[in-house]
Amino acid sequence: MMSKQAMFPYYFPEEIFLEIFCKLPVKSLGKCMCVSKAWNSLIKNPYFISSHVSHQSKLRRTKDNNLFFVMTGRHEVEYSLHSDDQEFRKYAQLEYMPFDNHHSIVGACNGLLCLMDFQFSFDSIFILCNPIIRKSITLPKPCLSSLPYKISVGFGFDSAQNDYKLLKITKKGVLDKYVEVELYSLKRNCWKILAPPKYDLYSDDFMVYVNETVHWIAYERVNNEGSYSCKLLILGFDMRDDVFKEIMLPERLRNLPHQSEIYVIPYDELSSIAVIELGSLHAECDIWVMKKYGVVETWTKMYSLGKLGTEPMPRVLGFRKNGDLMLRTYNNLRLISRDPESNEIDYFGIQGRRTYVCNYTESLVLLDRVIDDAMTENRANYASNANRSTE
């Protein structure tokens, strides 16, 4: 029989611990941090945090452990995680949320939620929050702080710099020719103003993050011998290189009929994007998928859907692992799942006027972040502004 010393050696190389820790869920790592100062320091290391979230993201894509973050509610907003199984089983109720019911969720990336609030002032208030480790930071005020006519915001990750970034595009007035662009970097904890693209904002939908790029619908006003028309396209902003890029839409979608509408959603199965085309009066819906990201020729109309009874077409929120669609019904605001082939509907008993759904990966991001004096001052300034605006 082996002695205890032989069975449990006093020393393992650090690489062994890192490999083991990378495979553990966040809850288990929280317990490991209490074992020793050495383990605590190892788990808080920025390199390990990045390695862990990368491993967990790959695990989510390859195994049947996909999670959805769900925000919903009628009077009080609730936040929860749900497993992507047949029953849409509740995985966890999220109790820690450092914001009120007036915030909107811009997006989620590597376990971080980005939130925006216009409630108290003309300034945009942005918060980054990791609800799993119960940590959040309030961002500095943007450089351009006037109340815009239209705004679109996108949140994503720059893997080259291990940095989280927030892109904000605004249009001051309906007659303004150009938009204004700002970019926030978490690593530098500051905003910078960027040269604007030549395209206008099509809507104030939040941007969609795929392949280290945030995407939104834009348009260009085209003069055809004195007759003006709007040419639609997808505009992207590459978080790694901080550059804009154009993605052409299918020809059918470049000039939409009156009262039609389009918007972008992620298509995770192919690490690509999809475009939802809502027909006149939301009577029908076509779903276009770019089967090879960035290749215009691979746009394919995957599905054409009709209404559910007399109610207008539900809003398409995303795709499930099994190919079903996550929808929010138009009238009673229920969260449902619909098989686009058979049109079979699953009801989850989730309903609310403010429903947001996205894929989610538990992570330790922000664990190593120190809430320094500058960030504390940002919180104080926002609180002061909020108090003054309510007086």
Side-chain angles (χ1 to χ4, degrees):
M1 184 175 178
M2 295 179 66
S3 68
K4 287 187 177 180
Q5 183 174 350
M7 293 171 61
F8 302 99
Y10 288 113
Y11 172 78
F12 284 107
E14 187 176 283
E15 292 76 15
I16 299 296
F17 285 115
L18 288 173
E19 186 174 344
I20 295 171
F21 288 160
C22 264
K23 297 177 181 178
L24 295 179
V26 172
K27 187 175 181 180
S28 299
L29 289 174
K31 295 177 181 178
C32 292
M33 289 174 62
C34 301
V35 171
S36 70
K37 289 183 178 180
W39 283 19
N40 185 291
S41 177
L42 194 62
I43 292 170
K44 282 186 173 181
N45 185 286
Y47 171 79
F48 171 75
I49 292 173
S50 298
S51 299
H52 180 263
V53 73
S54 177
H55 180 82
Q56 294 298 312
S57 296
K58 290 176 183 176
L59 202 64
R60 180 180 69 81
R61 290 193 295 267
T62 56
K63 292 191 176 182
D64 295 328
N65 58 350
N66 197 43
L67 288 178
F68 279 102
F69 172 86
V70 177
M71 177 190 81
T72 190
R74 298 181 182 181
H75 306 293
E76 290 296 323
V77 179
E78 294 184 357
Y79 308 88
S80 54
L81 297 179
H82 291 256
S83 298
D84 190 9
D85 53 22
Q86 186 64 35
E87 296 78 26
F88 206 62
R89 175 178 48 88
K90 183 181 286 188
Y91 173 81
Q93 186 73 33
L94 300 176
E95 303 295 341
Y96 172 80
M97 287 293 174
F99 40 83
D100 54 33
N101 293 345
H102 299 281
H103 280 81
S104 297
I105 297 180
V106 173
C109 178
N110 293 344
L112 275 190
L113 299 174
C114 178
L115 304 110
M116 181 180 77
D117 187 12
F118 270 127
Q119 180 192 6
F120 294 119
S121 68
F122 291 158
D123 296 327
S124 309
I125 300 174
F126 294 101
I127 293 176
L128 299 184
C129 167
N130 185 333
I132 303 301
I133 63 170
R134 298 172 173 257
K135 197 164 185 179
S136 65
I137 60 172
T138 301
L139 307 191
K141 293 180 182 180
C143 306
L144 308 170
S145 57
S146 59
L147 183 65
Y149 158 70
K150 193 178 288 185
I151 180 171
S152 185
V153 186
F155 176 61
F157 180 60
D158 171 4
S159 64
Q161 299 296 324
N162 192 25
D163 192 11
Y164 291 86
K165 296 179 178 179
L166 182 64
L167 182 72
K168 172 176 166 278
I169 299 182
T170 53
K171 186 175 182 180
K172 284 185 178 180
V174 65
L175 298 179
D176 284 352
K177 188 174 181 180
Y178 298 105
V179 295
E180 295 178 325
V181 184
E182 295 177 83
L183 182 68
Y184 170 81
S185 160
L186 178 61
K187 202 170 210 178
R188 293 187 292 270
N189 191 34
C190 66
W191 294 85
K192 67 176 180 179
I193 298 174
L194 303 180
K198 65 179 181 179
Y199 301 105
D200 208 335
L201 285 173
Y202 170 74
S203 75
D204 53 6
D205 289 337
F206 291 130
M207 300 173 191
V208 170
Y209 174 72
V210 174
N211 292 333
E212 301 200 36
T213 301
V214 288
H215 306 79
W216 66 100
I217 304 293
Y219 73 88
E220 180 181 21
R221 195 177 296 275
V222 180
N223 184 355
N224 295 316
E225 299 179 353
S227 176
Y228 286 90
S229 63
C230 292
K231 176 187 173 185
L232 299 177
L233 75 159
I234 294 175
L235 207 56
F237 183 81
D238 190 319
M239 293 290 189
R240 286 172 61 100
D241 299 324
D242 290 356
V243 294
F244 293 97
K245 61 182 183 181
E246 302 171 6
I247 300 177
M248 293 299 105
L249 287 163
E251 188 172 352
R252 166 192 168 96
L253 303 182
R254 295 173 192 173
N255 294 282
L256 280 181
H258 183 59
Q259 293 186 324
S260 295
E261 175 188 347
I262 62 172
Y263 56 94
V264 189
I265 63 172
Y267 190 68
D268 285 345
E269 183 180 346
L270 298 177
S271 295
S272 190
I273 52 178
V275 170
I276 311 302
E277 177 193 4
L278 287 172
S280 177
L281 302 178
H282 293 196
E284 67 280 325
C285 166
D286 289 336
I287 300 176
W288 296 76
V289 172
M290 181 175 264
K291 289 196 168 182
K292 187 173 182 181
Y293 179 76
V295 181
V296 176
E297 293 75 19
T298 64
W299 279 115
T300 304
K301 186 163 75 170
M302 295 278 286
Y303 307 111
S304 291
L305 305 176
K307 297 191 297 183
L308 299 173
T310 59
E311 186 173 322
M313 268 300 304
R315 175 92 175 183
V316 180
L317 303 178
F319 293 87
R320 303 185 67 183
K321 274 279 190 182
N322 63 3
D324 287 1
L325 302 170
M326 297 292 295
L327 308 173
R328 184 186 64 222
T329 59
Y330 192 87
N331 289 336
N332 52 27
L333 304 178
R334 287 188 294 183
L335 183 64
I336 64 174
S337 177
R338 178 176 180 176
D339 185 329
E341 301 285 355
S342 66
N343 284 325
E344 183 178 343
I345 305 294
D346 288 324
Y347 297 92
F348 302 131
I350 298 174
Q351 185 176 9
R353 59 184 177 84
R354 298 176 63 209
T355 302
Y356 175 86
V357 176
C358 68
N359 283 308
Y360 188 80
T361 301
E362 293 182 288
S363 80
L364 297 168
V365 177
L366 288 190
L367 184 64
D368 60 323
R369 191 76 182 181
V370 176
I371 309 301
D372 58 21
D373 292 341
M375 291 185 177
T376 303
E377 184 179 350
N378 289 332
R379 288 180 180 273
N381 288 339
Y382 283 129
S384 176
N385 290 339
N387 290 335
R388 283 200 298 269
S389 66
T390 55
E391 289 175 356

